[in-house]
């Protein structure tokens, strides 16, 4: 039977979602838990691969598992064998033909920042420290330039291998609460390092290091010289994956 799972994880000590030869991944942690719980080798397929150090609150994956456990209790069976840094928040029977990756309609990421004179160790695990202050209006003005269908070649890591670098961003905006700032981006799909580079470019515009024209030209030319730096992974969180229907329903 195919199951869908909503997974949260602290990505700090993982090499990313996907199984890697040089580190421990979230996918491996789930496979190990399934082996302990059900005595079989299980492959978990995610909505998308998060990079090393990136966190998730709403990653969705699917797996084919032979068990008589009620679908909504599968989460508990796996959580008994998962490390503290990973938790299955919800589980459900997947609808016919469901694929966590191919069926996804929208994904929402948040990049967390805090602006302060000095570093706060209680925030550093999940947020990027920036000295001083920022112009939230300038951040939002820059964010709006990304909305729509564009070629994000300039915002993709050079080693990424994809058929096309054209992506659609449905919304992008920044919110400020005290010294904390959240940059939220919702799109149909994202390139490797895309959101982190968008965040760095927005910060560059807010600081005056980059201009509105730089962003516009980066999207039309694909020039990496016109964008900001790729921000550290620790500030990025995969918040939600939308499939166009309520996948987990009341079992959340």
């Amino acid at each position: 039977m195919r199951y869908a799972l909503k997974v949260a994880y602290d990505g700090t000590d993982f090499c990313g979602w996907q199984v890697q030869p040089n580190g421990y991944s979230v996918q491996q942690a789930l496979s190990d838990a399934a082996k302990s719980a059900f005595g079989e080798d299980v492959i978990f397929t995610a909505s998308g691969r998060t990079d090393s150090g990136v966190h998730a609150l709403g990653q969705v994956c699917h797996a084919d598992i032979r068990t008589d456990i009620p679908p909504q209790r599968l989460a508990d069976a796996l959580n008994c064998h998962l490390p503290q840094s990973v938790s299955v928040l919800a589980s459900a029977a997947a609808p016919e033909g469901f694929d966590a990756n191919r069926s996804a309609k929208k994904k929402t990421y948040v990049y967390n920042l805090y602006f302060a004179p000095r570093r706060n160790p209680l925030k550093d695990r999940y947020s990027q420290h920036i000295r001083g202050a920022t112009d939230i209006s300038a951040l939002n003005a820059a964010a709006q330039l990304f909305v729509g269908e564009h070629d994000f070649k300039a915002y993709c890591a050079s080693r990424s291998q994809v058929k096309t670098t054209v992506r659609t961003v449905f919304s992008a905006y920044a919110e400020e609460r005290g010294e904390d700032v959240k940059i939220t981006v919702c799109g149909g799909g994202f390139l490797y390092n895309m959101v982190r580079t968008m965040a760095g470019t927005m910060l560059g515009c807010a600081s005056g290091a980059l201009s509105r024209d730089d962003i516009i030209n980066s999207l039309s030319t694909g020039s990496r010289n016109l964008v900001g730096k790729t921000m550290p992974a620790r500030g990025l969180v995969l918040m939600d994956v939308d499939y166009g229907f309520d996948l987990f329903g009341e079992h959340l």
Side-chain angles (χ1 to χ4, degrees):
M1 181 175 180
R2 176 157 293 188
Y3 296 88
L5 304 105
K6 181 177 181 180
V7 185
Y9 49 86
D10 177 339
T12 304
D13 299 323
F14 289 104
C15 64
W17 164 267
Q18 190 177 19
V19 170
Q20 302 284 343
N22 60 344
Y24 196 54
S25 69
V26 179
Q27 187 182 40
Q28 186 64 59
L30 285 164
S31 294
D32 290 347
K35 183 72 170 180
S36 297
F38 310 114
E40 63 175 297
D41 295 321
V42 177
I43 297 175
F44 291 83
T45 300
S47 67
R49 304 169 183 173
T50 52
D51 195 18
S52 175
V54 174
H55 315 292
L57 183 61
Q59 173 69 282
V60 175
C61 61
H62 77 255
D64 298 324
I65 305 174
R66 291 172 294 183
T67 178
D68 294 328
I69 296 175
Q72 66 270 25
R73 297 305 303 272
L74 189 75
D76 299 318
L78 289 169
N79 285 337
C80 290
H81 302 280
L82 283 167
Q84 288 293 310
S85 50
V86 184
S87 180
V88 180
L89 302 180
S91 55
E96 184 73 24
F98 177 79
D99 183 292
N101 179 265
R102 295 190 179 98
S103 301
K105 305 297 184 184
K106 298 179 181 179
K107 298 176 186 177
T108 301
Y109 280 90
V110 166
Y111 195 87
N112 295 295
L113 304 141
Y114 70 99
F115 294 79
R118 298 174 183 85
R119 184 180 63 82
N120 183 340
L122 297 184
K123 292 185 176 183
D124 276 350
R125 196 171 180 93
Y126 309 108
S127 187
Q128 176 61 30
H129 173 227
I130 305 290
R131 287 187 176 85
T134 192
D135 183 343
I136 195 72
S137 296
L139 282 178
N140 274 306
Q144 288 308 299
L145 299 176
F146 294 119
V147 176
E149 183 180 87
H150 303 287
D151 189 340
F152 285 92
K153 180 181 178 181
Y155 297 82
C156 178
S158 58
R159 64 180 181 275
S160 179
Q161 297 179 340
V162 291
K163 292 181 179 180
T164 176
T165 50
V166 175
R167 295 290 186 273
T168 299
V169 171
F170 300 115
S171 63
Y173 57 91
E175 297 175 291
E176 183 179 32
R177 180 173 294 180
E179 66 180 18
D180 299 319
V181 171
K182 293 181 180 292
I183 295 173
T184 302
V185 183
C186 175
F190 296 94
L191 301 166
Y192 182 51
N193 284 353
M194 178 175 157
V195 177
R196 289 160 58 190
T197 307
M198 288 171 63
T201 302
M202 290 170 61
L203 288 168
C205 280
S207 69
L210 294 171
S211 69
R212 173 187 176 89
D213 287 341
D214 286 330
I215 294 182
I216 294 172
N217 291 332
S218 73
L219 295 171
S220 62
T221 67
S223 174
R224 181 71 183 181
N225 295 326
L226 298 173
V227 305
K229 69 177 182 178
T230 300
M231 299 300 289
R234 63 175 167 266
L236 187 62
V237 183
L238 173 58
M239 296 297 293
D240 182 67
V241 184
D242 185 355
Y243 292 93
F245 61 93
D246 191 352
L247 182 58
F248 298 102
E250 64 183 17
H251 300 306
L252 280 171

